[in-house]
Amino acid sequence: GESVGLHLPTLSVQEGDNSIINCAYSNSASDYFIWYKQESGKGPQFIIDIRSNMDKRQGQRVTVLLNKTVKHLSLQIAATQPGDSAVYFCAEKEGTALIFGKGTTLSVSS
Amino acid sequence: NAGVTQTPKFRILKIGQSMTLQCAQDMNHNYMYWYRQDPGMGLKLIYYSVGAGITDKGEVPNGYNVSRSTTEDFPLRLELAAPSQTSVYFCASSSPGNTIYFGEGSWLTVV
């Protein structure tokens, strides 16, 4: 089975709202996590990453939170825009490669 | 800076045919990867390489082969195409311990 998964397959929000996308992982030994955004017909695009020695990391309009106690990862997008509409994947580093979950489709309406 | 470049973008194969998906990166990354993505699903690792001359199997290697003769190139070969190999294929690269960057994908249909 997959070691990384997302709680909800779809999320619909209004433009300007804050979005929260969740992810659960099962390997407590994982020490590096990445969020990717994938637009239709394109490859995954790096958004933000976090190492296991951190609980929170902020980027431009995005924040990743890591709760190692419950093995939970979340991506928060502030002031969501139509251009944020895409599929979002969390990925867990296992050895050399990444293990991906199934993705959450974020739909932003104006 | 081109990053990770994949060719072809689209290809239709008949069952039993063979083909090679090309992948090149210009970032001098040691690590390279091939993933496949089926509709509505996440990415599954096919093969990866940590340097020239070194390759390893990922989660779903059956039906594929790879080689890594140079740091820049990491071709993926399908020897006997099957309908189950219809998918989108992504090549990626990284430096050790750093972010993995993906190419734009190759859409393969086997009929």
Side-chain angles (χ1 to χ4, degrees):
Chain A
E2 296 181 339
S3 65
V4 177
L6 294 173
H7 293 305
L8 292 174
T10 60
L11 176 65
S12 297
V13 301
Q14 293 286 322
E15 181 178 3
D17 287 351
N18 295 330
S19 303
I20 300 176
I21 301 172
N22 296 304
C23 174
Y25 64 95
S26 59
N27 187 351
S28 58
S30 295
D31 62 359
Y32 183 50
F33 304 88
I34 307 174
W35 280 100
Y36 284 92
K37 172 186 180 182
Q38 187 176 26
E39 296 175 297
S40 181
K42 296 188 176 181
Q45 177 186 1
F46 170 85
I47 301 173
I48 193 168
D49 59 0
I50 189 168
R51 298 193 184 273
S52 59
N53 61 350
M54 303 173 68
D55 296 322
K56 179 180 180 179
R57 189 156 189 235
Q58 288 184 290
Q60 187 176 10
R61 282 201 307 120
V62 294
T63 301
V64 56
L65 299 177
L66 176 62
N67 185 330
K68 295 181 287 293
T69 302
V70 295
K71 290 183 284 187
H72 183 268
L73 194 69
S74 69
L75 176 70
Q76 300 179 0
I77 305 174
T80 311
Q81 303 168 0
D84 295 326
S85 294
V87 180
Y88 290 81
F89 294 95
C90 66
E92 172 186 18
K93 198 79 175 294
E94 284 195 6
T96 306
L98 290 176
I99 304 299
F100 284 80
K102 292 184 180 180
T104 290
T105 300
L106 176 64
S107 298
V108 183
S109 53
S110 302
Chain B
N1 192 347
V4 180
T5 303
Q6 294 181 230
T7 56
K9 182 80 170 179
F10 300 98
R11 181 73 187 267
I12 298 174
L13 276 182
K14 293 183 179 179
I15 295 172
Q17 285 186 319
S18 300
M19 76 158 297
T20 299
L21 297 176
Q22 301 292 343
C23 176
Q25 53 92 9
D26 62 0
M27 297 174 281
N28 201 31
H29 286 165
N30 289 331
Y31 294 179
M32 295 188 75
Y33 315 82
W34 274 106
Y35 285 85
R36 62 175 285 173
Q37 186 177 30
D38 296 329
M41 302 295 287
L43 283 76
K44 297 287 189 183
L45 181 64
I46 305 172
Y47 271 95
Y48 67 98
S49 167
V50 299
I54 305 170
T55 61
D56 282 294
K57 295 178 180 180
E59 302 169 86
V60 290
N62 292 342
Y64 307 94
N65 281 299
V66 292
S67 60
R68 185 93 183 273
S69 57
T70 66
T71 299
E72 293 78 18
D73 300 299
F74 190 40
L76 176 72
R77 181 143 182 97
L78 287 71
E79 290 293 350
L80 290 171
S84 62
Q85 293 178 303
T86 294
S87 191
V88 184
Y89 292 84
F90 290 100
C91 181
S93 73
S94 73
S95 294
N98 289 329
T99 303
I100 296 178
Y101 293 96
F102 286 83
E104 291 293 290
S106 296
W107 273 252
L108 176 66
T109 301
V110 182
V111 296

